[in-house]
Amino acid sequence: LGEPLPAGAPPDPLVSLFLRRERRQQRKERESSPAQRLRRFLRRKFFLFRRSALMTLIALRNLALGRPAPERLAQEVAFASWRG
């Protein structure tokens, strides 16, 4: 990933698409207003805190009551990881 392509080798289309998307996202973030940056920062922190709190509660419940069925645990983890 970090190494340049050999001379004459065509770049992979998926890698090119990913790199274009990343550059566009970085440019968009650089050109955004301070209010948009603050909003994006707070949104990221909110979902990070939300996931941490939910996963902690799931872990404490599992310690107290035992581990639930794998399907239910998967649903709870998916809910905790949801980002709206």
Side-chain angles (χ1 to χ4, degrees):
L1 279 172
E3 299 176 12
L5 289 173
D12 186 86
L14 289 176
V15 172
S16 298
L17 177 66
F18 173 76
L19 291 174
R20 263 195 319 267
R21 199 174 285 165
E22 282 294 311
R23 280 193 296 268
R24 190 177 5 170
Q25 183 68 24
Q26 288 174 352
R27 187 174 57 247
K28 181 181 167 186
E29 287 180 6
R30 267 195 320 268
E31 295 172 356
S32 62
S33 71
Q36 289 172 326
R37 289 181 186 183
L38 178 64
R39 184 174 184 266
R40 192 170 38 247
F41 172 79
L42 292 175
R43 182 177 170 84
R44 281 187 197 140
K45 294 303 175 185
F46 169 76
F47 282 109
L48 178 69
F49 178 77
R50 176 188 177 274
R51 184 176 192 278
S52 299
L54 288 173
M55 294 296 275
T56 300
L57 291 174
I58 290 169
L60 291 173
R61 192 228 29 229
N62 291 349
L63 285 173
L65 303 176
R67 193 167 150 195
E71 297 84 22
R72 179 168 178 199
L73 193 57
Q75 287 176 342
E76 291 171 348
V77 170
F79 177 74
S81 299
W82 177 76
R83 288 186 166 253

